[in-house]
Amino acid sequence: MTTRLSDVAARAGVSVKTVSNVINDYPHITARTRAKVEAAIAALDYRPNVSARSLRKGRSDFIALAIPEMASPYFAELGAAISRAAKRRGITVLIDQTEGETDAEKLVLDGMRGQLIDGIIFSPITTTPAKISAAATGKPLVLLGERPPGDNFDRVAVDSVQASYDATSHLIAIGRRRIAAIGVGGTSTGAVRRKGYRKALKAAGIPHDPALELAGTGYHRPDGAASMRELLALPEPPDAVFCFNDLLALGALRTLADAGLSVPGDVAVVGFDDIEDGRYHSPSLTSISPDKEWLADNAVGLLLERIAGNGEAARRDLTVPFTLEIRESTAG
């Protein structure tokens, strides 16, 4: 049998209005009364009607996070950080996985979950800026990731060109000259990270070799392993490889180990994202480390500002701080 507000009121010995005030965090409630009501709610396992409460407040205090993959360590770590940032503000995060599919991303833009959410933090893969602007329903939206300009929404992203330049420059600084890149094709991420990679080669007077730039079929461990096998089969294999995420790098490290090659002695490896798996791998992985807590806190903050009514302000682009964490895969 469903517990009603009146049941909680009767058990606590207060009015229905008082119970409602406690649930809605009305400030002028004595500590003693609040404790009685909360004890009754716990004893009766009462669950407030979220839809009705949202209609009264004009807000649900739920936001959505739409990401390509929940199984990806990077997005898992980022999702956890965003959930913590929202919780500090009394907000609940609902997570949707799009798998980078156009139809699923369109569903996000068409107003996923109806009136249940107040706004969306969205990491698109296939949807273009023009389609984002055309399809968005007016619900507050903050974008994540390396996207070209062309939409009118707030964005939080790493400067992937500079980060990739720094990663490649590090490999050059330790004496490597045949530096491969894995993950160059298929997404905006691949395009901007290749730009930084090539920029570093050019600055060092090293011509980029198309044979050392591999797109692969995805951004997972098997893709990195397969690309590394292809690179080792070249007449002149690379002496270093910059992988455009850490999962690619972990796959590449496995192939190098299977081939009996030392890291970094024979081939130095750098990743991107600084996931926990890379820090505990042997050898530990040198990687670009975005400040995920900063990213999460600012993405949630931007979204809540829009939800609160700051919808007419100019769009904002925030750049996530990052560091290059040098570990055994390049330092020995």
Side-chain angles (χ1 to χ4, degrees):
M1 180 172 133
T2 303
T3 302
R4 298 169 299 177
L5 209 65
S6 57
D7 299 324
V8 176
R11 185 177 182 94
V14 298
S15 68
V16 169
K17 177 64 175 174
T18 297
V19 175
S20 178
N21 287 341
V22 170
I23 290 172
N24 289 289
D25 206 25
Y26 186 71
H28 304 299
I29 300 288
T30 67
R32 182 171 179 273
T33 298
R34 186 179 298 278
K36 286 167 54 180
V37 172
E38 289 175 347
I41 289 172
L44 296 174
D45 196 26
Y46 175 69
R47 297 287 185 270
N49 186 320
V50 173
S51 298
R53 188 176 173 189
S54 298
L55 288 172
R56 290 194 300 271
K57 293 176 62 181
R59 282 178 50 178
S60 68
D61 290 337
F62 286 88
I63 62 173
L65 171 63
I67 55 177
E69 294 181 86
M70 287 188 283
S72 161
Y74 172 75
F75 285 112
E77 291 176 14
L78 181 60
I82 287 174
S83 294
R84 287 191 293 270
K87 185 177 181 181
R88 289 194 294 270
R89 296 165 168 87
I91 303 297
T92 299
V93 179
L94 307 177
I95 299 179
D96 261 31
Q97 175 177 269
T98 66
E99 297 183 339
E101 295 177 352
T102 301
D103 288 345
E105 293 189 351
K106 184 176 184 299
L107 181 62
V108 171
L109 296 170
D110 286 344
M112 56 181 278
R113 301 184 187 274
Q115 299 303 311
L116 184 58
I117 60 167
D118 297 321
I120 305 165
I121 298 173
F122 179 31
S123 179
I125 296 294
T126 59
T127 308
T128 65
K131 287 183 178 179
I132 291 173
S133 295
T137 61
K139 199 172 284 290
L141 180 69
V142 171
L143 299 175
L144 304 180
E146 305 93 338
R147 307 291 296 173
D151 54 66
N152 297 313
F153 300 99
D154 296 327
R155 181 189 320 278
V156 184
V158 177
D159 183 348
S160 273
V161 174
Q162 184 62 52
S164 299
Y165 178 91
D166 290 356
T168 308
S169 295
H170 168 63
L171 291 169
I172 294 168
I174 63 172
R176 307 309 164 107
R177 290 299 179 267
R178 283 191 58 77
I179 302 171
I182 295 177
V184 300
T187 68
S188 57
T189 296
V192 294
R193 293 182 184 176
R194 178 171 61 182
K195 184 176 180 180
Y197 158 77
R198 287 185 175 180
K199 183 180 177 183
L201 294 179
K202 184 177 181 180
I206 302 172
H208 79 267
D209 181 349
L212 295 178
E213 296 183 1
L214 272 66
T217 57
Y219 270 57
H220 300 91
R221 294 175 183 87
D223 305 304
S227 292
M228 194 70 242
R229 285 193 294 271
E230 189 174 339
L231 288 168
L232 293 180
L234 292 173
E236 292 184 72
D239 58 6
V241 59
F242 171 36
C243 299
F244 288 3
N245 79 352
D246 283 354
L247 292 183
L248 290 171
L250 292 175
L253 287 170
R254 178 66 203 196
T255 292
L256 290 167
D258 289 345
L261 297 172
S262 70
V263 176
D266 296 312
V267 182
V269 179
V270 175
F272 200 119
D273 289 339
D274 194 25
I275 62 174
E276 187 176 48
D277 287 357
R279 296 195 292 273
Y280 285 91
H281 191 272
S282 180
S284 56
L285 180 63
T286 295
S287 184
I288 294 291
S289 179
D291 188 334
K292 300 182 190 75
E293 295 294 335
W294 189 100
L295 190 166
D297 195 61
N298 282 274
V300 172
L302 283 179
L303 186 63
L304 294 185
E305 285 182 30
R306 295 297 188 189
I307 291 169
N310 192 19
E312 300 303 316
R315 69 184 292 271
R316 291 158 293 180
D317 279 297
L318 300 184
T319 302
V320 181
F322 70 86
T323 56
L324 174 65
E325 297 297 325
I326 299 172
R327 301 193 180 95
E328 293 165 345
S329 68
T330 63

